[in-house]
Amino acid sequence: MNLSYWEIKSWLSNVDYTIIGSGIVGLNCALYLKSRFPEAKILILEKGTLPQGASTKNAGFACFGSLSEIIEDLKNHSKKEVLELVNKRINGLQLLRENLGDKAVDYQNLGGYELFTDSDTELYESCNEKQEEVNGLLQPIFKEDVFSFVENKFNFNSIKPKYSFNQFEGQIDTGKMIEALLLKVYSLGIKILNNTFVESFSENSNTVKIQTNQFEFTSHKVLIATNGFAKELNIPQVKPARAQVLITKPIDGLHIKGTFHLDKGYYYFRNIDNRVLFGGGRNLDFITEETLNFGETEIIQNKLEELLKTTILPNIDFEIDHRWSGIMGVGTQKKAIVKQLSNNVFCGVRLGGMGVAIGSLVGKELADLL
């Protein structure tokens, strides 16, 4: 692309901070950098027409971990580490709500539920047995019990008669969240260039030369916020994990309200606009779903539809309206990677499927590295 003098002067000259990725982390990072350095010139590069990874493609769960997930974490982490993990998610959600306001993101505290299939007896009994211990662990954060077991009031099929209820779990509209973040970013004079893919970068002592699919320019600092796509920018500790999602057409008198976890969280669904949004199934084919390519597969989409018919919406007619996928960033540890990579390059990646919960906080921590 041959750029004009005006384009180079206005967008690509004297750039102080270049942020790669315009999702939750990248936009929050830009906001905090601008608050710390009001005169700085900040440029965000986004490979997609819209934020490309998971920020506008997730299910919008304002969650911090189901009962079985926390129990599983306690097998591999100390109690202190698990408490820190949950606390960071809670602080991140609070930061999101404070920054944008509950109305702007359509935050609703309808509670969260974990369902156990009829064959999940071992997991069900384990959660029953350890619920009191987990509530005790989380007492310093919430000051009251988080989890309890309640009757199957939504009339789901083929599950245990009771499920775990989390009174503090909520949901948001992630489209509205990104819209609100973009409005704040634009209002501060921060520039975003979409459909701009970073192919490579190299640095000297004071600047970074960035080569994109459109042009080349230099920036004083580079901050990588691409999460699931971090591997493309030589951050090998992050593996991509595709999540497939579908949503029904509106259902008259939809009785389901809240966020729901099934099969150790590998499946998840919620209500939105009188529809059921349903995603998951990565555990059916981990290898295929460890990909940077968007798309849907027959094995997972068929399973999602089957569970809708047999378990979630039995005896209720529904039609599928849309299907899509998002790319998360996962790894061997659940802790996000927020660190300096070299003299002038920094990253905030590996959100582990908890982007809504920790994205705002990771963005702030990334900005605080400078």
Side-chain angles (χ1 to χ4, degrees), residues 8-56:
I8 294 170
K9 179 182 177 182
S10 296
W11 276 273
L12 302 176
S13 296
N14 304 313
V15 178
D16 295 297
Y17 305 107
T18 297
I19 298 168
I20 306 175
S22 71
I24 304 170
V25 175
L27 294 175
N28 274 284
C29 177
L31 291 174
Y32 285 106
L33 281 174
K34 198 65 174 175
S35 68
R36 290 184 58 203
F37 311 108
E39 302 304 316
K41 186 171 182 177
I42 301 172
L43 176 65
I44 302 174
L45 303 179
E46 169 56 51
K47 68 187 292 186
T49 304
L50 298 172
Q52 187 74 9
S55 290
T56 55

Side-chain angles (χ1 to χ4, degrees), residues 61 65-72 111-117 120 123-124 126-128 131 147-152 154 156 159-166 169 258-269:
F61 280 38
S66 66
L67 179 56
S68 69
E69 182 181 353
I70 292 173
I71 290 170
E72 188 65 27
Y113 302 82
E114 180 169 14
L115 315 183
F116 305 91
T117 64
D120 254 349
L123 181 65
Y124 180 70
S126 173
C127 288
N128 257 305
Q131 176 184 274
F147 298 104
S148 59
F149 273 84
V150 297
E151 300 291 337
N152 179 14
F154 296 110
F156 298 126
I159 67 162
K160 299 293 185 184
K162 289 188 176 183
Y163 35 65
S164 172
F165 174 61
N166 175 353
E169 190 162 307
T259 53
F260 299 84
H261 309 259
L262 177 67
D263 193 6
K264 299 180 181 177
Y266 282 118
Y267 297 95
Y268 43 89
F269 60 98

Side-chain angles (χ1 to χ4, degrees), residues 244 284 296-305 323:
Q244 299 185 37
L284 297 175
E296 295 79 51
T297 60
E298 193 172 322
I299 183 175
I300 290 178
Q301 291 296 315
N302 286 346
K303 185 64 174 180
L304 294 177
E305 286 197 47
R323 305 174 195 267

